[in-house]
Amino acid sequence: FCQLNPKVSAFQRRFVGEVRRCEEMEKTFTFLQQELRGAGRALGPCQENPRAPLAREALRVQEQSEQLAQELREVSRNRASLRGRLGDLRRYLHVLRQGQRFTSLPATPGSPARPRALSERERLLDPSLHQHLERKINFVAGVIHPWRVSAFERLLWRACRGYLVANFVEMPEPMEDPTTGESITWVIFLISYWGEQIGQKIRKISDCFHCHVYPYPESESSRADTMSGLHSQIQDLSVVLEETEQYLEQVLDKVVQVLPTWRVQVQKMKAIYLVLNQCSFDVTEKCLIAEVWCPVQDLTQVQDALRQGSYKSGSSVECFVQRIPTSESPPTLIRTNKFTAGFQSIVDAYGVASYQEVNPAPYAIITFPFIFAIMFGDVGHGLLMFLFALWMVLFENSPSLRQASNEIWQMFFEGRYLILLMGAFSIYTGFIYNECFSKATVIFPSAWSVATMANHSSWSSAYLATHPSLTLDPNVTGVFRGPYPFGIDPIWSLATNHLNFLNSFKMKMSVVLGIVHMGFGVLLGIFNHVHFGQWHRLVLELLPEMIFLLALFGYLVFLIFYKWIMFTTADSLVAPSILIHFIDMFLFTSNADNLPLYRGQVPVQMVLVVLALASVPVLLLGTPLYLRCRRRALRSGHPPPVAGGEQEPLLEGQEAGNSVNATKEDVESGGHGPDAEHLDMAEVLMHQAIHTIEYCLGCVSNTASYLRLWALSLAHARECPRTSRVCPRGLGRPSPSPPLSPELSEVLWTMVMRNGFVRLSYLGGLVLVPVFAAFAVLTVAILLVMEGLSAFLHALRLHWVEFQNKFYVGAGYKLCPFAFAPEAWE
Amino acid sequence: AMAYGGLAVPFIVMSVFWGVVGGVLPWLVPKGPNRGVINTMLVTCAVCCYLFWLIAILAQLNPLFGPQLSNETIWYLRYDWP
């Protein structure tokens, strides 16, 4: 939906009243929900999918909800006040009870009074003394917070100068503090004093300390009466409180039943009104006009829905839809199913495709897991990954998997198909790299024959003892019998110079695959140019780009394959270096020590470099010059076209009917006024210059960037332990140390597994079980997850930058249709 | 021990296999809304995997140097591997 009232503020929109009503209802709902939560009840999710209510239904919902809220508030208030009163009464009861200990047993010296006041108390409380002094003893009784007791005592003593007796005792049971609600053990105090002024002072002090003071009757009998009265009052109050709580429960039950449905209904209503606010009114104020983006394929569905809607609401006038021309760029809609959604989201994360641009996602479905697998290639790890993703896929409909609240888990779950493919491809590349949990598997017998070499060079046992490492020579007949049919020969995993071979292999592989990937990206641009009818770009941009790429880097690929095929072991001493040839090609020099790969290499290379360099100015100036010529031809031939890029939002003056105009302007050919021509030329030239520089430099740097495929696959392989390293280490002989620091896993291997294997006894076997478990867990945690994430990130970068910048613009925005999604309402 | 036929046998086997995956299977996919995506997937997969295998085998076709083994490995492999 497009926003048709941009100039009207949010408060003046037509349906703001309804929106406000919805929000009030939502506030009421939140209050009800809070009450429920306070009472410890949970609100279940809404089971059915209620439709949005009509206006009068909404009124009913509002009334009912407000009534419920009102009731709830009243009942809660009643309950709170009842409980307060109950607390009060009980405190009074306690005060009276405890106070009796002081006033009814005057002769016991063991009652809890301060020693200093003992003598005074005896004097005071002795009835004979009472009469003797002709003074009246008054009492102040109450309860005080236990933390304030000492301060209270001190103040009392200082203020009244000892003309009182204060007794403090703790309450036998803790009671609730009405203000804070927590349960504290109050301290009951009983102050006996004589004199009016002291009495007033005491009362003021106890006010300051927030004590609850209760009237303390003088005589014994009145105290007993008060106590029994209190008892009955407490009982009555408890009964009333119970009934109040029962009623509260009932109200809460009612709420629980209706609240979920109401919430969904009100949310739907609010969404609808918000959308309606975006529509504008016709001049006659009788109908509402909305402007929407709609996929052409779904146009008939929309018309059907409108027809149904008008029928159901019982109105006499039908709603209709009409296409209008616009020069705005439409949003992009790419329909995906649950399988392709994951891959599409990877592409969209970089940038949503511009309208009608070629979508790299279908190719990324395979190339992304493939490039990941090149860096992660290991059969065992790939199998683990594959099984994990398979479990997620097979159980994807179980609610426990779908509604997990852990965000990281959600990410993994969303990408389950992606992980599935990544695992599958990793198994394949693992077979080719011949790595299964970093051990080589011998599926086919190895192509290198140690026996032949040993016989040929007469390697006797004595000879071997003196020579710690020897090299197999492929020049000797029978030592090397042919290429290993599927993957890397397993003997390389036992060789100490395996890195020499693997580095060469993996670097060349990365470069070849990178150039193929990039070339594919450039070729995808063909689709774009053809679709938008920009034939000139096909000749003036794509062709120079391809020539540049192929002349330089395609030639490099050719050199790599040529050297692999044509140079046999016989030439191993004089084999030329491709890298030096490549550098010399650019510098137009030659190196005497580096033999040419084939006859006539130098002139061929010169031609290629010249061709590549010649394509650069074509790329730079071709399109701008062409556009300029075309504009000049247009300008001299015809009058400039009317600049018609205005949007016509309101269909005023249009007749009702189901006409569908098919006038849709081509997005490209927006008319430019003649006065803006010079500005355009500069802009186009600049844009093209940037594109040229980016492309040419990018070719070089991106090719090198693909070498990360080599780097990461090497890191992955070396993170895992190797048997060949364990044996030399055991003999104390230094193996050619790699430039990297000792791997964590090698330490793990030597300390954990070797120790387990060495103690070959029953006890050792038992010990091995938890040892292996620990090893397995560490493997999974560290290697799989860390390396997987790292390889994922690099594959993503290669796709986003190196691949997509050859053809992808990604400047579009997504179509966000108005939808009631049930998951969104919780 | 398998007689090594050089490059020929594996080359033919793999080329035929990935050729079938990339060239024949797309015709057999049933018509439906996903046909385009599935065909793209099949062809891309075939090209990627075949290329990867080809690079691996061509890199080992003419080795310019041999593996350097420790004497222990030689002792062991001399009699264990054919």
Side-chain angles (χ1 to χ4, degrees):
Chain A
F1 279 86
C2 297
Q3 176 60 267
L4 281 179
N5 303 323
K7 300 196 196 75
V8 183
S9 79
F11 297 108
Q12 290 172 332
R13 301 232 177 104
R14 183 54 182 251
F15 294 97
V16 68
E18 277 81 358
V19 172
R20 215 173 276 158
R21 197 148 55 109
C22 293
E23 281 176 359
E24 273 175 22
M25 277 200 268
E26 280 188 345
K27 259 190 255 169
T28 321
F29 292 160
T30 332
F31 167 70
L32 288 174
Q33 210 177 354
Q34 267 175 4
E35 289 291 316
L36 276 180
R37 215 172 286 151
R41 315 267 297 255
L43 197 58
C46 181
Q47 296 302 331
E48 80 277 7
N49 194 7
R51 40 176 291 273
L54 300 171
R56 47 180 179 274
E57 283 180 32
L59 267 176
R60 188 175 57 92
V61 166
Q62 190 178 18
E63 278 173 16
Q64 275 188 343
S65 67
E66 280 180 8
Q67 201 185 22
L68 269 179
Q70 192 67 13
E71 269 186 46
L72 210 57
R73 259 183 235 123
E74 265 188 45
V75 173
S76 309
R77 231 198 328 255
N78 282 346
R79 189 175 72 143
S81 70
L82 279 177
R83 283 169 96 171
R85 275 202 62 202
L86 191 64
D88 223 18
L89 290 175
R90 284 165 77 185
R91 268 191 291 271
Y92 194 8
L93 196 62
H94 277 293
V95 165
L96 283 180
R97 254 197 232 132
Q98 299 300 323
Q100 282 200 6
R101 295 162 66 175
F102 305 137
T103 47
S104 54
L105 302 165
T108 49
S111 48
R114 278 173 302 166
R116 190 194 68 75
L118 202 59
S119 50
E120 279 182 36
R121 198 176 55 82
E122 276 180 2
R123 261 189 288 134
L124 284 172
L125 300 180
D126 191 4
S128 55
L129 201 56
H130 180 114
Q131 282 156 1
H132 181 77
L133 286 178
E134 291 175 4
R135 293 223 180 118
K136 195 161 180 306
I137 295 183
N138 296 317
F139 295 100
V140 172
V143 291
I144 184 176
H145 198 279
W147 294 347
R148 302 197 192 110
V149 170
S150 45
F152 189 48
E153 274 192 69
R154 259 201 303 268
L155 194 54
L156 275 178
W157 188 56
R158 282 200 203 117
C160 308
R161 285 180 221 145
Y163 279 93
L164 53 82
V165 174
N167 295 310
F168 294 89
V169 71
E170 257 191 26
M171 246 205 231
E173 51 162 19
M175 288 191 58
E176 229 184 62
D177 181 0
T179 41
T180 60
E182 44 175 80
S183 183
I184 0 177
T185 320
W186 298 88
V187 169
I188 303 175
F189 64 88
L190 182 67
I191 305 178
S192 5
Y193 63 94
W194 63 98
E196 248 333 289
Q197 283 166 333
I198 294 194
Q200 280 179 1
K201 266 196 222 169
I202 294 180
R203 273 183 219 283
K204 269 204 202 111
I205 295 175
S206 35
D207 265 342
C208 287
F209 275 88
H210 301 287
C211 311
H212 299 262
V213 173
Y214 302 104
Y216 194 75
E218 305 268 339
S219 64
E220 189 67 36
S221 49
S222 51
R223 275 203 290 272
D225 284 339
T226 326
M227 272 178 56
S228 51
L230 279 179
H231 270 298
S232 52
Q233 269 186 336
I234 288 178
Q235 264 193 357
D236 290 338
L237 214 55
S238 315
V239 167
V240 174
L241 191 60
E242 243 188 70
E243 292 198 354
T244 317
E245 300 222 337
Q246 266 188 6
Y247 184 59
L248 190 66
E249 289 285 312
Q250 279 181 358
V251 174
L252 285 178
D253 275 337
K254 255 195 283 178
V255 172
V256 164
Q257 270 180 358
V258 290
L259 194 57
T261 324
W262 284 354
R263 270 180 53 196
V264 174
Q265 282 183 328
V266 168
Q267 273 171 336
K268 285 194 182 176
M269 252 179 65
K270 189 167 158 198
I272 293 182
Y273 279 121
L274 282 176
V275 166
L276 283 181
N277 263 342
Q278 290 182 340
C279 310
S280 73
F281 267 97
D282 197 9
V283 184
T284 62
E285 292 280 331
K286 286 229 185 87
C287 66
L288 207 56
I289 301 180
E291 216 183 66
V292 289
W293 288 112
C294 169
V296 176
Q297 278 179 335
D298 293 342
L299 205 53
T300 39
Q301 274 183 355
V302 168
Q303 281 167 336
D304 277 340
L306 282 177
R307 243 190 306 251
Q308 270 191 9
S310 2
Y311 176 68
K312 274 204 185 149
S313 65
S315 73
S316 51
V317 183
E318 261 199 18
C319 316
F320 61 91
V321 66
Q322 198 163 3
R323 286 171 78 154
I324 49 172
T326 173
S327 66
E328 256 181 32
S329 152
T332 318
L333 171 68
I334 299 181
R335 296 180 207 264
T336 56
N337 55 23
K338 69 182 178 191
F339 176 70
T340 55
F343 303 98
Q344 188 64 49
S345 67
I346 293 183
V347 172
D348 284 344
Y350 176 75
V352 177
S354 307
Y355 187 60
Q356 293 191 339
E357 187 182 37
V358 68
N359 181 18
Y363 310 101
I365 297 181
I366 294 288
T367 58
F368 183 84
F370 180 66
I371 291 196
F372 171 87
I374 297 180
M375 296 189 270
F376 195 73
D378 188 302
V379 174
H381 299 158
L383 195 63
L384 284 177
M385 226 176 156
F386 182 76
L387 290 176
F388 172 62
L390 196 64
W391 168 71
M392 278 200 290
V393 167
L394 288 179
F395 290 101
E396 66 186 356
N397 288 323
S398 96
S400 63
L401 280 185
R402 262 198 191 270
Q403 282 161 12
S405 53
N406 190 358
E407 263 194 37
I408 299 187
W409 164 257
Q410 279 287 80
M411 265 197 325
F412 278 115
F413 184 70
E414 294 285 317
R416 57 195 182 279
Y417 288 105
L418 181 62
I419 301 180
L420 191 74
L421 283 184
M422 295 197 312
F425 274 102
S426 295
I427 299 180
Y428 180 76
T429 55
F431 272 119
I432 301 241
Y433 284 153
N434 217 338
E435 293 205 8
C436 179
F437 288 113
S438 303
K439 305 261 156 278
T441 52
V442 187
I443 308 176
F444 302 96
S446 171
W448 293 82
S449 167
V450 180
T452 319
M453 184 72 191
N455 292 338
H456 171 267
S457 305
S458 42
W459 286 347
S460 63
S461 297
Y463 185 79
L464 283 176
T466 49
H467 288 80
S469 81
L470 293 161
T471 313
L472 298 179
D473 186 2
N475 265 324
V476 174
T477 5
V479 172
F480 174 67
R481 292 178 297 191
Y484 194 72
F486 190 74
I488 304 286
D489 202 303
I491 200 165
W492 288 108
S493 66
L494 302 171
T496 46
N497 65 345
H498 71 288
L499 268 185
N500 289 11
F501 171 72
L502 277 182
N503 277 352
S504 159
F505 159 62
K506 287 190 175 172
M507 283 173 91
K508 292 181 180 171
M509 168 202 75
S510 313
V511 166
V512 169
L513 287 175
I515 294 173
V516 168
H517 200 209
M518 289 199 294
F520 179 55
V522 176
L523 284 179
L524 277 184
I526 295 183
F527 288 120
N528 272 341
H529 299 323
V530 167
H531 178 86
F532 289 119
Q534 297 168 318
W535 304 99
H536 65 277
R537 284 183 78 175
L538 210 55
V539 173
L540 294 170
E541 279 189 24
L542 193 92
L543 209 55
E545 281 178 359
M546 280 309 283
I547 290 180
F548 187 83
L549 186 67
L550 290 180
L552 298 178
F553 298 98
Y555 180 64
L556 179 64
V557 172
F558 166 75
L559 284 182
I560 292 176
F561 276 99
Y562 188 84
K563 185 176 171 190
W564 273 342
I565 297 179
M566 299 302 289
F567 276 79
T568 61
T569 56
D571 318 308
S572 54
L573 288 174
V574 296
S577 156
I578 296 184
L579 198 57
I580 301 188
H581 273 298
F582 199 56
I583 298 177
D584 286 343
M585 177 167 117
F586 283 107
L587 301 178
F588 291 104
T589 59
S590 64
N591 200 334
D593 296 329
N594 212 8
L595 293 180
L597 279 148
Y598 54 92
R599 226 161 31 121
Q601 181 176 3
V602 174
V604 166
Q605 287 181 173
M606 256 196 317
V607 168
L608 286 175
V609 173
V610 166
L611 210 57
L613 288 178
S615 66
V616 173
V618 175
L619 187 58
L620 177 66
L621 299 170
T623 311
L625 285 177
Y626 172 79
L627 284 176
R628 185 176 193 181
C629 292
R630 192 172 74 168
R631 200 160 293 135
R632 207 175 283 163
L634 267 175
R635 202 155 49 114
S636 59
H638 315 273
V642 176
E646 298 306 315
Q647 190 182 354
E648 307 230 342
L650 299 178
L651 297 177
E652 305 173 76
Q654 299 253 5
E655 290 149 12
N658 276 327
S659 61
V660 174
N661 301 329
T663 58
K664 195 156 183 303
E665 271 182 9
D666 188 14
V667 177
E668 271 298 310
S669 58
H672 296 280
D675 46 302
E677 191 188 273
H678 291 291
L679 214 57
D680 278 339
M681 256 330 275
E683 198 185 300
V684 169
L685 254 178
M686 176 114 72
H687 177 82
Q688 199 65 18
I690 294 178
H691 178 77
T692 308
I693 296 178
E694 198 183 34
Y695 181 77
C696 296
L697 291 183
C699 269
V700 179
S701 78
N702 293 348
T703 308
S705 182
Y706 275 94
L707 286 174
R708 73 185 67 220
L709 295 176
W710 156 64
L712 258 98
S713 79
L714 214 59
H716 186 88
R718 289 181 50 66
E719 279 290 308
C720 307
R722 290 181 174 278
T723 5
S724 62
R725 297 194 165 267
V726 173
C727 300
R729 245 169 246 263
L731 288 183
R733 198 177 53 81
S735 50
S737 58
L740 308 165
S741 55
E743 282 79 342
L744 172 68
S745 300
E746 291 211 13
V747 173
L748 271 177
W749 172 259
T750 46
M751 292 205 316
V752 172
M753 293 300 277
R754 260 197 85 226
N755 285 337
F757 281 136
V758 158
R759 293 200 206 95
L760 284 176
S761 59
Y762 287 118
L763 186 64
L766 269 177
V767 167
L768 204 58
V769 170
V771 158
F772 182 72
F775 181 66
V777 167
L778 278 168
T779 307
V780 169
I782 299 176
L783 291 173
L784 264 190
V785 175
M786 229 174 56
E787 298 260 288
L789 281 176
S790 158
F792 180 88
L793 198 68
H794 283 284
L796 203 62
R797 177 252 155 74
L798 280 177
H799 268 77
W800 280 357
V801 179
E802 275 78 16
F803 176 57
Q804 285 183 196
N805 74 359
K806 301 284 176 294
F807 67 96
Y808 191 59
V809 173
Y813 61 104
K814 263 192 164 158
L815 178 75
C816 302
F818 181 69
F820 288 133
E823 294 97 32
W825 301 119
E826 279 311 310
Chain B
M2 190 176 101
Y4 265 84
L7 191 54
V9 170
F11 188 76
I12 293 177
V13 169
M14 290 296 270
S15 307
V16 165
F17 177 71
W18 288 117
V20 162
V21 167
V24 175
L25 284 188
W27 295 106
L28 304 176
V29 172
K31 286 205 201 304
N34 296 326
R35 187 164 193 234
V37 173
I38 295 183
N39 281 353
T40 314
M41 279 172 64
L42 283 172
V43 173
T44 325
C45 183
V47 168
C48 286
C49 295
Y50 180 67
L51 191 60
F52 195 60
W53 167 84
L54 190 69
I55 293 174
I57 198 170
L58 286 182
Q60 297 177 98
L61 189 61
N62 294 314
L64 298 176
F65 60 92
Q68 183 187 32
L69 303 167
S70 74
N71 50 2
E72 283 192 358
T73 321
I74 297 178
W75 265 320
Y76 176 73
L77 289 180
R78 184 180 188 170
Y79 301 108
D80 190 66
W81 282 6

